[in-house]
PDB file of all heavy atoms in Angstrom:
ATOM      1  N   SER A  15     -19.316 -29.293  39.989  1.00  0.00           N
ATOM      2  CA  SER A  15     -20.491 -28.360  40.093  1.00  0.00           C
ATOM      3  C   SER A  15     -20.193 -27.452  41.288  1.00  0.00           C
ATOM      4  O   SER A  15     -19.754 -27.909  42.353  1.00  0.00           O
ATOM      5  CB  SER A  15     -21.750 -29.087  40.384  1.00  0.00           C
ATOM      6  OG  SER A  15     -21.940 -30.065  39.414  1.00  0.00           O
ATOM      7  N   THR A  37     -24.158 -29.057  28.876  1.00  0.00           N
ATOM      8  CA  THR A  37     -25.076 -30.276  28.690  1.00  0.00           C
ATOM      9  C   THR A  37     -26.070 -30.276  29.758  1.00  0.00           C
ATOM     10  O   THR A  37     -27.249 -30.649  29.535  1.00  0.00           O
ATOM     11  CB  THR A  37     -24.241 -31.542  28.653  1.00  0.00           C
ATOM     12  OG1 THR A  37     -23.140 -31.466  29.583  1.00  0.00           O
ATOM     13  CG2 THR A  37     -23.722 -31.887  27.265  1.00  0.00           C
ATOM     14  N   GLY A  38     -25.726 -29.774  31.026  1.00  0.00           N
ATOM     15  CA  GLY A  38     -26.636 -29.717  32.129  1.00  0.00           C
ATOM     16  C   GLY A  38     -27.835 -28.838  31.739  1.00  0.00           C
ATOM     17  O   GLY A  38     -28.949 -29.182  31.921  1.00  0.00           O
ATOM     18  N   ARG A  42     -31.762 -29.721  31.268  1.00  0.00           N
ATOM     19  CA  ARG A  42     -32.850 -29.082  32.068  1.00  0.00           C
ATOM     20  C   ARG A  42     -33.888 -28.515  31.105  1.00  0.00           C
ATOM     21  O   ARG A  42     -35.065 -28.569  31.460  1.00  0.00           O
ATOM     22  CB  ARG A  42     -32.294 -28.003  33.020  1.00  0.00           C
ATOM     23  CG  ARG A  42     -31.639 -28.576  34.234  1.00  0.00           C
ATOM     24  CD  ARG A  42     -31.051 -27.523  35.175  1.00  0.00           C
ATOM     25  NE  ARG A  42     -29.876 -26.943  34.722  1.00  0.00           N
ATOM     26  CZ  ARG A  42     -28.641 -27.469  34.863  1.00  0.00           C
ATOM     27  NH1 ARG A  42     -28.530 -28.556  35.516  1.00  0.00           N
ATOM     28  NH2 ARG A  42     -27.621 -26.843  34.403  1.00  0.00           N
ATOM     29  N   ILE A  59     -30.858 -37.121  36.423  1.00  0.00           N
ATOM     30  CA  ILE A  59     -30.443 -35.798  36.982  1.00  0.00           C
ATOM     31  C   ILE A  59     -30.824 -35.643  38.450  1.00  0.00           C
ATOM     32  O   ILE A  59     -30.135 -35.193  39.339  1.00  0.00           O
ATOM     33  CB  ILE A  59     -30.931 -34.671  36.184  1.00  0.00           C
ATOM     34  CG1 ILE A  59     -30.197 -34.633  34.785  1.00  0.00           C
ATOM     35  CG2 ILE A  59     -30.831 -33.304  36.825  1.00  0.00           C
ATOM     36  CD1 ILE A  59     -30.258 -33.334  34.047  1.00  0.00           C
ATOM     37  N   LYS A  63     -27.079 -38.572  39.208  1.00  0.00           N
ATOM     38  CA  LYS A  63     -26.328 -39.573  38.415  1.00  0.00           C
ATOM     39  C   LYS A  63     -26.084 -39.024  37.034  1.00  0.00           C
ATOM     40  O   LYS A  63     -26.849 -38.110  36.505  1.00  0.00           O
ATOM     41  CB  LYS A  63     -27.161 -40.877  38.282  1.00  0.00           C
ATOM     42  CG  LYS A  63     -27.476 -41.451  39.641  1.00  0.00           C
ATOM     43  CD  LYS A  63     -27.392 -43.021  39.473  1.00  0.00           C
ATOM     44  CE  LYS A  63     -27.650 -43.701  40.761  1.00  0.00           C
ATOM     45  NZ  LYS A  63     -29.045 -44.028  41.015  1.00  0.00           N
ATOM     46  N   LEU A  64     -25.084 -39.578  36.302  1.00  0.00           N
ATOM     47  CA  LEU A  64     -24.803 -39.146  34.942  1.00  0.00           C
ATOM     48  C   LEU A  64     -25.869 -39.668  34.043  1.00  0.00           C
ATOM     49  O   LEU A  64     -26.281 -40.837  34.121  1.00  0.00           O
ATOM     50  CB  LEU A  64     -23.476 -39.603  34.462  1.00  0.00           C
ATOM     51  CG  LEU A  64     -22.225 -38.840  35.094  1.00  0.00           C
ATOM     52  CD1 LEU A  64     -21.008 -39.444  34.399  1.00  0.00           C
ATOM     53  CD2 LEU A  64     -22.344 -37.372  34.958  1.00  0.00           C
ATOM     54  N   VAL A  65     -26.350 -38.889  33.073  1.00  0.00           N
ATOM     55  CA  VAL A  65     -27.213 -39.305  32.019  1.00  0.00           C
ATOM     56  C   VAL A  65     -26.425 -40.255  31.127  1.00  0.00           C
ATOM     57  O   VAL A  65     -25.228 -40.004  30.885  1.00  0.00           O
ATOM     58  CB  VAL A  65     -27.738 -38.059  31.201  1.00  0.00           C
ATOM     59  CG1 VAL A  65     -28.574 -38.515  30.011  1.00  0.00           C
ATOM     60  CG2 VAL A  65     -28.479 -37.207  32.158  1.00  0.00           C
ATOM     61  N   THR A  70     -26.485 -38.468  25.984  1.00  0.00           N
ATOM     62  CA  THR A  70     -25.681 -37.264  26.088  1.00  0.00           C
ATOM     63  C   THR A  70     -24.992 -36.876  24.786  1.00  0.00           C
ATOM     64  O   THR A  70     -24.956 -35.727  24.332  1.00  0.00           O
ATOM     65  CB  THR A  70     -24.652 -37.458  27.172  1.00  0.00           C
ATOM     66  OG1 THR A  70     -25.331 -37.820  28.423  1.00  0.00           O
ATOM     67  CG2 THR A  70     -23.849 -36.184  27.521  1.00  0.00           C
ATOM     68  N   GLY A  91     -19.360 -28.870  31.267  1.00  0.00           N
ATOM     69  CA  GLY A  91     -20.036 -30.001  31.781  1.00  0.00           C
ATOM     70  C   GLY A  91     -19.878 -31.230  30.857  1.00  0.00           C
ATOM     71  O   GLY A  91     -20.558 -32.283  31.126  1.00  0.00           O
ATOM     72  N   PHE A  92     -19.179 -31.156  29.855  1.00  0.00           N
ATOM     73  CA  PHE A  92     -18.885 -32.232  28.907  1.00  0.00           C
ATOM     74  C   PHE A  92     -17.427 -32.135  28.454  1.00  0.00           C
ATOM     75  O   PHE A  92     -17.019 -31.046  28.065  1.00  0.00           O
ATOM     76  CB  PHE A  92     -19.801 -32.231  27.654  1.00  0.00           C
ATOM     77  CG  PHE A  92     -19.679 -33.394  26.783  1.00  0.00           C
ATOM     78  CD1 PHE A  92     -20.502 -34.456  26.888  1.00  0.00           C
ATOM     79  CD2 PHE A  92     -18.590 -33.459  25.897  1.00  0.00           C
ATOM     80  CE1 PHE A  92     -20.327 -35.542  26.060  1.00  0.00           C
ATOM     81  CE2 PHE A  92     -18.401 -34.569  25.126  1.00  0.00           C
ATOM     82  CZ  PHE A  92     -19.247 -35.705  25.187  1.00  0.00           C
ATOM     83  N   ARG A  94     -17.710 -35.844  30.693  1.00  0.00           N
ATOM     84  CA  ARG A  94     -17.730 -36.120  32.157  1.00  0.00           C
ATOM     85  C   ARG A  94     -16.926 -37.433  32.408  1.00  0.00           C
ATOM     86  O   ARG A  94     -16.799 -37.865  33.545  1.00  0.00           O
ATOM     87  CB  ARG A  94     -19.153 -36.337  32.680  1.00  0.00           C
ATOM     88  CG  ARG A  94     -19.993 -35.074  32.790  1.00  0.00           C
ATOM     89  CD  ARG A  94     -19.658 -34.295  34.019  1.00  0.00           C
ATOM     90  NE  ARG A  94     -20.722 -33.957  34.871  1.00  0.00           N
ATOM     91  CZ  ARG A  94     -21.528 -32.872  34.806  1.00  0.00           C
ATOM     92  NH1 ARG A  94     -21.379 -32.063  33.816  1.00  0.00           N
ATOM     93  NH2 ARG A  94     -22.457 -32.645  35.644  1.00  0.00           N
ATOM     94  N   GLN A  98     -16.785 -40.434  26.962  1.00  0.00           N
ATOM     95  CA  GLN A  98     -17.291 -39.158  26.355  1.00  0.00           C
ATOM     96  C   GLN A  98     -16.128 -38.472  25.660  1.00  0.00           C
ATOM     97  O   GLN A  98     -16.305 -37.883  24.531  1.00  0.00           O
ATOM     98  CB  GLN A  98     -17.976 -38.274  27.302  1.00  0.00           C
ATOM     99  CG  GLN A  98     -19.297 -38.863  27.871  1.00  0.00           C
ATOM    100  CD  GLN A  98     -20.047 -37.858  28.798  1.00  0.00           C
ATOM    101  OE1 GLN A  98     -19.572 -36.820  29.047  1.00  0.00           O
ATOM    102  NE2 GLN A  98     -21.205 -38.328  29.296  1.00  0.00           N
ATOM    103  N   ARG A 159     -32.063 -25.602  42.682  1.00  0.00           N
ATOM    104  CA  ARG A 159     -32.035 -26.747  41.761  1.00  0.00           C
ATOM    105  C   ARG A 159     -32.360 -28.017  42.615  1.00  0.00           C
ATOM    106  O   ARG A 159     -31.870 -28.139  43.753  1.00  0.00           O
ATOM    107  CB  ARG A 159     -30.791 -26.916  41.059  1.00  0.00           C
ATOM    108  CG  ARG A 159     -30.744 -26.241  39.714  1.00  0.00           C
ATOM    109  CD  ARG A 159     -29.332 -26.212  39.072  1.00  0.00           C
ATOM    110  NE  ARG A 159     -28.629 -27.453  39.106  1.00  0.00           N
ATOM    111  CZ  ARG A 159     -27.503 -27.662  38.433  1.00  0.00           C
ATOM    112  NH1 ARG A 159     -26.925 -26.614  37.806  1.00  0.00           N
ATOM    113  NH2 ARG A 159     -26.956 -28.846  38.425  1.00  0.00           N
ATOM    114  N   ARG A 170     -23.210 -36.176  43.666  1.00  0.00           N
ATOM    115  CA  ARG A 170     -22.685 -35.537  42.477  1.00  0.00           C
ATOM    116  C   ARG A 170     -21.193 -35.274  42.585  1.00  0.00           C
ATOM    117  O   ARG A 170     -20.438 -35.475  41.629  1.00  0.00           O
ATOM    118  CB  ARG A 170     -23.393 -34.170  42.235  1.00  0.00           C
ATOM    119  CG  ARG A 170     -24.797 -34.331  41.768  1.00  0.00           C
ATOM    120  CD  ARG A 170     -25.589 -33.072  41.839  1.00  0.00           C
ATOM    121  NE  ARG A 170     -25.089 -32.021  40.946  1.00  0.00           N
ATOM    122  CZ  ARG A 170     -25.216 -30.698  41.085  1.00  0.00           C
ATOM    123  NH1 ARG A 170     -25.865 -30.325  42.209  1.00  0.00           N
ATOM    124  NH2 ARG A 170     -24.776 -29.850  40.260  1.00  0.00           N
TER     125      ARG A 170
HETATM  126  P1  LIG B  26     -24.466 -29.657  35.631  1.00  0.00           P
HETATM  127  O1  LIG B  26     -25.458 -28.571  35.324  1.00  0.00           O
HETATM  128  O2  LIG B  26     -23.303 -29.622  34.670  1.00  0.00           O
HETATM  129  O3  LIG B  26     -24.101 -29.753  37.066  1.00  0.00           O
HETATM  130  O4  LIG B  26     -25.205 -31.012  35.294  1.00  0.00           O
HETATM  131  C1  LIG B  26     -26.389 -31.413  35.956  1.00  0.00           C
HETATM  132  C2  LIG B  26     -26.684 -32.878  35.710  1.00  0.00           C
HETATM  133  O5  LIG B  26     -26.906 -33.086  34.338  1.00  0.00           O
HETATM  134  C3  LIG B  26     -25.541 -33.809  36.071  1.00  0.00           C
HETATM  135  O6  LIG B  26     -25.565 -34.159  37.477  1.00  0.00           O
HETATM  136  C4  LIG B  26     -25.906 -34.986  35.241  1.00  0.00           C
HETATM  137  O7  LIG B  26     -27.035 -35.734  35.737  1.00  0.00           O
HETATM  138  C5  LIG B  26     -26.364 -34.384  33.907  1.00  0.00           C
HETATM  139  N1  LIG B  26     -25.270 -34.161  32.983  1.00  0.00           N
HETATM  140  C6  LIG B  26     -24.767 -32.953  32.578  1.00  0.00           C
HETATM  141  N2  LIG B  26     -23.743 -33.135  31.675  1.00  0.00           N
HETATM  142  C7  LIG B  26     -23.606 -34.470  31.562  1.00  0.00           C
HETATM  143  C8  LIG B  26     -22.671 -35.330  30.836  1.00  0.00           C
HETATM  144  N3  LIG B  26     -21.722 -34.776  30.091  1.00  0.00           N
HETATM  145  N4  LIG B  26     -22.840 -36.637  30.867  1.00  0.00           N
HETATM  146  C9  LIG B  26     -23.815 -37.175  31.596  1.00  0.00           C
HETATM  147  N5  LIG B  26     -24.650 -36.475  32.358  1.00  0.00           N
HETATM  148  C10 LIG B  26     -24.543 -35.140  32.344  1.00  0.00           C
END
Side-chain angles (χ1 to χ4, degrees):
S15 303
T37 37
R42 281 182 286 278
I59 289 202
K63 301 216 177 96
L64 288 184
V65 175
T70 306
F92 186 98
R94 290 280 234 274
Q98 289 185 1
R159 269 170 51 173
R170 288 168 65 205

